[in-house]
Amino acid sequence: HLHDNHGGDRSRDDLHLPPGEGIVDFCGILHALRAAGYAGALCFEIGLEHVQRSRDLVQEMWDAAVMHNTSLD
């Protein structure tokens, strides 16, 4: 499941922020998933008010990972 945070190792640090509002390297994660051939589901664990914008952002990063992986072939 996808959500962002500001780091930390305590349960209170698990903030469930929308992608792009914390420190998680979603570009790197999505690139690695694409490079590994992953084509399954991605689930958000964020507030409903953030779902559409987060989906669009992750779709842009996913598409960029596809283009990057294709250019390496």
Side-chain angles (χ1 to χ4, degrees):
H1 61 268
L2 303 175
H3 67 267
D4 216 334
N5 63 60
H6 296 297
D9 58 4
R10 296 175 293 205
S11 61
R12 72 176 192 199
D13 298 324
D14 193 17
L15 301 173
H16 298 264
L17 300 171
E21 292 192 13
I23 63 168
V24 174
D25 178 12
F26 284 100
C27 287
I29 291 168
L30 295 171
H31 174 76
L33 287 170
R34 292 297 304 196
Y38 183 76
L42 300 173
C43 301
F44 292 103
E45 192 171 14
I46 57 176
L48 287 175
E49 68 273 17
H50 303 293
V51 171
Q52 185 62 47
R53 185 180 65 78
S54 296
R55 189 202 78 70
D56 293 344
L57 177 64
V58 168
Q59 184 68 56
E60 288 176 22
M61 289 187 274
W62 187 257
D63 293 344
V66 170
M67 291 174 30
H68 180 76
N69 287 338
T70 302
S71 69
L72 296 177
D73 292 341

